Amino acid sequence: MWFFSPFVRMVVAAVLTGVCATAAHALDPKPQANAAPLPVEAFKSTKDAFRTGIQDYNAGDKANAARALEYAAQQGHALARWKLGRMYADGDGVPQDDLRAFEHFSRICDEHADEPTDSPNARFVASAFVSLGSYYLDGIPGTYVKQNGERARDMFQYAAAYFGDSDAQYNLARVLIDGVGGQKDARQAVRWLNLAAEKGHPPSQALLGHLLFNGEGVPKQRARGLMWLTLARDAAAANPKRDAWIIELHDRAEAEADKTDREAALVYIDKGSAKRR
């Protein structure tokens, strides 16, 4: 269970207010030019529609999957709405449409912001907050979704604090480092990165290691930084093309480290492994 200070509870309340306002805008009943026709298929229940949608998706029939998921989403099925949001965001079996993705994620955040953190839906709600934050970082050209660094930070803050989501903690740390939507705060960024890194989040491990190794905004801890970079590099080996930046940060630090740093980093790794057994 998560317990928060009065300040964090105040931030949560502010974010909820902002999400509701966004959702109200996104869900304006006026016709939208890019609105999809309502599905005509009949399903036994909302769960049946969701199940059919996932089965069709896994079978490669993504057009029918989208129609079934749309039906379930309109009945309030949060996971169906999340899946549709991801499909539109990625152009996965449907035309790529960031605004429609944004509106699906907005609806989830509006309706499920106080989802219990032990609920099966919690991680998808947290993901929706992270997606909204990412959209607010750059805005969506040609739409009412404008760049808003402060709102992006709020979205990441909420998912990081309430849901304890590692992606949110990483993104929150990035905006704190860059000063997006507020003042720079490298020390607070390191705290969030450490929380995510301890849960095995490779991007957080890499960025945390980089900051500690180089002493950027925090006291330099070369051995501990190299430890996190090594753990991140090992995870990145599974997808070296996607995570090339992690491998590059590690290799650069490895080349600069001396023998004492490397030996101490290995000791930290061994201690961490023993602790997790």
Side-chain angles (χ1 to χ4, degrees):
M1 180 176 291
W2 289 80
F3 297 93
F4 307 109
S5 67
F7 172 75
V8 172
R9 287 196 293 270
M10 179 179 68
V11 170
V12 168
V15 172
L16 285 174
T17 300
V19 169
C20 291
T22 297
H25 190 178
L27 299 172
D28 188 327
K30 292 182 291 186
Q32 299 291 325
N34 62 352
L38 295 177
V40 297
E41 291 83 358
F43 299 96
K44 296 177 182 177
S45 66
T46 301
K47 289 184 178 180
D48 178 55
F50 174 70
R51 183 167 50 250
T52 298
I54 295 301
Q55 289 173 346
D56 287 345
Y57 181 91
N58 291 335
D61 187 356
K62 295 182 179 179
N64 277 329
R67 284 191 283 270
L69 291 170
E70 188 76 44
Y71 180 94
Q74 291 173 0
Q75 310 309 309
H77 197 289
L79 186 50
R81 192 173 291 284
W82 178 86
K83 184 62 177 177
L84 275 173
R86 290 271 26 111
M87 291 175 71
Y88 282 112
D90 300 334
D92 182 14
V94 294
Q96 199 274 338
D97 191 329
D98 285 323
L99 182 59
R100 294 195 69 182
F102 176 90
E103 291 176 348
H104 279 299
F105 295 136
S106 292
R107 185 68 172 266
I108 293 170
C109 294
D110 181 23
E111 297 178 351
H112 300 275
D114 57 352
E115 187 82 13
T117 57
D118 59 353
S119 162
N121 286 338
R123 66 190 180 102
F124 300 105
V125 178
S127 174
F129 272 98
V130 173
S131 295
L132 283 187
S134 298
Y135 278 124
Y136 277 123
L137 283 178
D138 299 314
I140 302 176
T143 74
Y144 61 80
V145 182
K146 306 303 180 184
Q147 185 179 33
N148 189 328
E150 184 176 359
R151 180 61 64 81
R153 184 184 286 211
D154 285 345
M155 296 292 144
F156 298 143
Q157 172 81 34
Y158 183 70
Y162 181 69
F163 291 107
D165 183 81
S166 296
D167 288 333
Q169 291 166 344
Y170 170 75
N171 280 281
L172 177 58
R174 291 297 301 265
V175 298
L176 287 167
I177 291 167
D178 296 336
V180 175
Q183 293 183 340
K184 293 184 178 182
D185 192 337
R187 290 183 179 274
Q188 189 65 22
V190 164
R191 294 189 184 99
W192 287 113
L193 288 172
N194 191 69
L195 285 173
E198 290 286 358
K199 291 180 285 189
H201 190 255
S204 295
Q205 292 174 334
L207 184 53
L208 176 60
H210 174 75
L211 294 176
L212 292 174
F213 186 86
N214 293 287
E216 294 187 11
V218 293
K220 185 178 293 187
Q221 300 180 56
R222 288 170 68 91
R224 191 172 292 277
L226 185 57
M227 172 200 73
W228 285 121
L229 283 164
T230 300
L231 292 172
R233 188 278 316 273
D234 290 347
N239 197 333
K241 184 176 180 180
R242 182 194 65 190
D243 295 330
W245 68 276
I246 292 178
I247 297 171
E248 181 181 351
L249 286 182
H250 168 268
D251 291 351
R252 191 185 309 161
E254 178 75 16
E256 295 178 11
D258 58 28
K259 182 179 178 181
T260 301
D261 295 330
R262 296 190 190 98
E263 290 177 347
L266 290 175
V267 171
Y268 282 134
I269 291 171
D270 289 341
K271 285 183 177 179
S273 297
K275 185 178 180 180
R276 287 189 290 272
R277 291 194 191 105

